[in-house]
Amino acid sequence: MSYSTLVNNRIRMSKSTIIFNIIGYSILSVLALLCIFPFIMLLSGSFTAEQSIAQYGYGIIPREFSTNAYDLLFKNPGEIVHAYGVTIFITAAGTFFGLFVTSMTAYVLSRQDFKYRNGFSFFFYFTTLFNGGTLTIYIFFVKYLNLKDSYLALILPLLINVFYLLIMRSFMTSIPSSIIESAKIDGAGEFLIYVRLILPLSKSGLTTIGLFILLGYWNDWYNAMLYISDYKMYPLQYMLYNMLSATEAISRISSSSGIEISNMPAQSLKMAMAVIATGPVLLVYPFVQKYFVKGITIGAVKG
């Protein structure tokens, strides 16, 4: 028997395996279509005329194509671009420092030789059950930290998430302690161990947590509403929120007064805003998706 025949026999799949693959791929394809269907509806609705939405509702293909929503949004394109710049800066800075603080704290809490790690872990967990409330946090940031109309007011509130911290602590606990001991024998300090060993071994966990932190900063508009009054400092989400609020207010006034305001794309404007806000995130996700399924089977232990 030739070598090629042996290889073919090895890779030949049984009938049950083929049937299982067909069923599995079919189910996954249907689920994928169900997941992408709402976004198709969203994109279609953003290009549908307001009158068509009111008469026929939303559809996969616009009955009456219109770009009124995007024309309204990009009437002053400089404002959108500037708001994008603010959001990108806040998201990049917040994600970087959030990952740094979260991973460093998680590393300390994961160390078995840290005497007070259980006490500090309980302290962090306690904050997820009780907090001082919005008023006290607002007073603290505005009166004592003087962060009114400051970008720090958009970064600090979301800098550390206890849930992500506990996940990273569990993630780093699985890293063999003998790696750290070997590095100490070679003369490495704690910070060098953290930067040169722990962070590379935690790449998949950091990427996953980093995506969640990124989404938190990208979608945040609440902190801008509390601490930012300068229009030039508005992030994208809060600027879109203000535009939508103004549009809905005009629509309510039109309905109550009986004065018809033509070409006011209230519903399609919501869809267009969602497309603009989610577009960049959809471009980032494919680059980090592989880390969601990647385990921490990396690293080596000295014998």
Side-chain angles (χ1 to χ4, degrees):
M1 186 178 291
S2 64
Y3 176 77
S4 60
T5 305
L6 288 173
V7 172
N8 291 331
N9 289 336
R10 284 185 178 181
I11 65 175
R12 185 181 298 141
M13 293 184 295
S14 63
K15 271 187 179 179
S16 59
T17 303
I18 295 175
I19 294 174
F20 175 81
N21 288 341
I22 292 175
I23 295 175
Y25 287 136
S26 300
I27 294 175
L28 289 176
S29 300
V30 172
L31 292 176
L33 289 175
L34 291 177
C35 290
I36 201 174
F37 182 76
F39 187 77
I40 296 176
M41 294 281 290
L42 179 73
L43 190 62
S44 173
S46 67
F47 286 104
T48 304
E50 189 71 14
Q51 297 82 358
S52 178
I53 294 177
Q55 185 175 0
Y56 303 106
Y58 298 100
I60 298 178
I61 300 176
R63 285 177 174 266
E64 184 180 344
F65 185 84
S66 173
T67 60
N68 287 342
Y70 292 97
D71 292 339
L72 180 61
L73 283 175
F74 290 100
K75 189 174 183 180
N76 295 313
E79 295 180 357
I80 295 286
V81 173
H82 182 74
Y84 257 118
V86 172
T87 300
I88 291 172
F89 169 74
I90 296 299
T91 301
T95 302
F96 175 79
F97 288 108
L99 274 178
F100 181 74
V101 174
T102 301
S103 60
M104 182 178 290
T105 309
Y107 169 61
V108 174
L109 296 178
S110 67
R111 291 290 299 270
Q112 299 291 335
D113 55 351
F114 179 47
K115 182 178 179 180
Y116 305 104
R117 68 189 188 94
N118 291 329
F120 276 97
S121 297
F122 175 77
F123 172 78
F124 283 110
Y125 175 72
F126 184 82
T127 61
T128 64
L129 304 177
F130 303 97
N131 61 69
T134 304
L135 179 60
T136 54
I137 296 174
Y138 179 83
I139 293 174
F140 177 72
F141 272 89
V142 174
K143 183 177 180 180
Y144 294 98
L145 297 183
N146 195 25
L147 293 181
K148 185 71 174 178
D149 287 331
S150 172
Y151 288 131
L152 285 176
L154 302 180
I155 295 176
L156 292 181
L158 303 177
L159 189 63
I160 186 167
N161 185 298
V162 178
F163 179 69
Y164 301 155
L165 172 62
L166 297 178
I167 291 177
M168 282 305 303
R169 186 198 64 172
S170 301
F171 195 96
M172 291 180 176
T173 301
S174 62
I175 297 177
S177 59
S178 50
I179 294 179
I180 300 174
E181 295 172 0
S182 299
K184 283 187 174 182
I185 293 174
D186 293 336
E190 292 290 352
F191 189 76
L192 184 62
I193 293 173
Y194 162 73
V195 173
R196 300 293 296 273
L197 292 177
I198 301 302
L199 290 184
L201 291 174
S202 305
K203 185 184 295 183
S204 56
L206 289 172
T207 307
T208 303
I209 297 302
L211 178 62
F212 293 140
I213 296 175
L214 181 147
L215 291 175
Y217 278 107
W218 184 267
N219 293 323
D220 180 55
W221 59 269
Y222 183 73
N223 288 308
M225 181 184 69
L226 291 178
Y227 305 114
I228 304 299
S229 58
D230 186 357
Y231 185 81
K232 294 181 180 179
M233 298 179 65
Y234 282 179
L236 178 66
Q237 301 290 354
Y238 188 53
M239 191 199 72
L240 295 178
Y241 170 80
N242 281 337
M243 292 182 64
L244 181 60
S245 299
T247 303
E248 291 180 343
I250 293 174
S251 299
R252 286 195 297 269
I253 293 173
S254 174
S255 300
S256 59
S257 63
I259 301 175
E260 184 177 355
I261 300 177
S262 59
N263 297 325
M264 181 57 66
Q267 299 302 320
S268 58
L269 183 64
K270 296 178 183 179
M271 307 294 106
M273 287 179 176
V275 171
I276 292 175
T278 58
V281 177
L282 293 177
L283 297 177
V284 171
Y285 180 78
F287 295 100
V288 299
Q289 187 269 342
K290 63 179 180 179
Y291 292 101
F292 286 95
V293 295
K294 182 181 179 182
I296 42 174
T297 57
I298 52 179
V301 182
K302 286 187 177 181

